[in-house]
Amino acid sequence: MENNRKWMIMAGGVLAIAGAATVWFMQTGGASASEEATQAALAAGIDSKEQAAIEAIVRDYILKNPEIIPEAVEILQTRQKTAAIEEIRKDIEAPFAGTAFAGNPNGDIIVVEYSDFACPYCKQTTADIGRVLKEDKNIKVVFRELPILSEASNDAALMALAAAKQGKYFAFHKTMFATGRPTPSTIESAAKEVGIDMAAARKFMATPEAQEEVQRNIEVARQLQFTGTPAFVVGNQTAVGAVGYDGLKEMIAKARGSK
């Protein structure tokens, strides 16, 4: 009776974890995974013959149902991504200088956007962000600088941070994208248009605080495996590229539904 019960438990568990076990085996390496599996079997009171039988069941199940492998990989990646976001959420959702955001400061959903002023898709996204903010009064959009395309994008990013220090971030953000691709002249033009103190801005742009903020954003982008701009974090979701108005609304709805 006890043996039958043990086999019923093992059989059910095998089918449930087969996909995850396969992914784990591939990621950790055959030899080490096999050794750990043997130790786990011994700890569970399963002898070598029983273990061999279980492994045969797993192999047979995977061969007959190979679709569980990408499903298991997707689940694993989602869990890893969620863990990565949770680790840095407090930092990335806190706007630089307390002012690099738009919308409701107490919004129930925070959209974090990483952008580059030289990126045409980021420029395209400004209209989508504006529409979302106009229609949803309970959204907070936090902007983070990710200048990866050129030296001029880095200069524009530093000016944006200087604007945030002067409480004029969003005005500069919109004006810079509307002015054109970043160059020394367009950056200065956008800054002057929104009334930035240029002497104070240039002084701040040279500080370690400004440089470190950009570097932190680059490190987060690597951690979250962003491959370009714009990139978004909404709840436990990430997206790269111009997802559009509908894409943003979908991410916001999903994040709101999970609360």
Side-chain angles (χ1 to χ4, degrees), residues 4-254:
N4 289 339
R5 178 175 170 274
K6 180 167 66 173
W7 274 96
M8 288 174 65
I9 293 172
M10 287 191 298
V14 163
L15 299 183
I17 68 172
T22 303
V23 174
W24 169 67
F25 188 86
M26 291 187 296
Q27 290 185 336
T28 58
S32 61
S34 179
E35 290 171 5
E36 291 181 22
T38 299
Q39 293 299 320
L42 291 173
I46 300 171
D47 62 31
S48 59
K49 290 183 179 179
E50 291 172 332
Q51 183 184 346
I54 292 171
E55 290 173 353
I57 294 171
V58 171
R59 182 178 186 278
D60 182 65
Y61 185 81
I62 291 171
L63 291 176
K64 290 179 179 177
N65 302 273
E67 66 276 5
I68 68 171
I69 296 177
E71 290 173 6
V73 170
E74 184 178 354
I75 291 170
L76 178 63
Q77 290 175 336
T78 298
R79 289 176 180 173
Q80 290 174 333
K81 180 173 66 177
T82 299
I85 293 172
E86 288 299 336
E87 185 178 341
I88 59 177
R89 184 184 303 284
K90 184 177 179 181
D91 292 331
I92 68 174
E93 290 186 348
F96 181 77
T99 67
F101 76 94
N104 186 342
N106 299 309
D108 69 329
I109 298 298
I110 299 177
V111 175
V112 183
E113 180 191 3
Y114 288 78
S115 62
D116 185 320
F117 286 109
C119 168
Y121 301 107
C122 298
K123 181 176 182 177
Q124 175 183 327
T125 297
T126 58
D128 300 319
I129 290 289
R131 184 178 173 188
V132 168
L133 289 171
K134 184 178 180 179
E135 295 178 359
D136 191 331
K137 300 303 181 182
N138 207 20
I139 292 293
K140 179 179 182 180
V141 179
V142 173
F143 301 97
R144 308 224 79 98
E145 306 307 314
L146 189 59
I148 57 176
L149 295 178
S150 68
E151 185 61 35
S153 358
N154 188 65
D155 293 340
L158 293 174
M159 183 63 77
L161 297 178
K165 279 291 187 177
Q166 297 183 30
K168 298 177 179 179
Y169 177 88
F170 193 42
F172 176 80
H173 179 89
K174 293 185 294 183
T175 303
M176 185 68 242
F177 275 120
T179 301
R181 290 181 66 84
T183 65
S185 61
T186 58
I187 294 169
E188 183 172 350
S189 175
K192 288 181 176 179
E193 184 173 336
V194 299
I196 290 175
D197 181 329
M198 296 302 291
R202 291 192 177 100
K203 184 177 180 180
F204 174 75
M205 289 166 68
T207 64
E209 181 182 1
Q211 305 290 336
E212 288 168 5
E213 169 65 13
V214 171
Q215 188 56 43
R216 273 194 298 270
N217 292 342
I218 291 173
E219 290 171 0
V220 168
R222 289 175 181 153
Q223 185 176 348
L224 297 182
Q225 299 180 4
F226 291 156
T227 55
T229 53
F232 302 91
V233 179
V234 185
N236 290 328
Q237 309 158 84
T238 61
V240 178
V243 298
Y245 168 80
D246 290 336
L248 287 169
K249 290 289 288 183
E250 183 178 342
M251 293 177 77
I252 291 167
K254 187 173 181 180

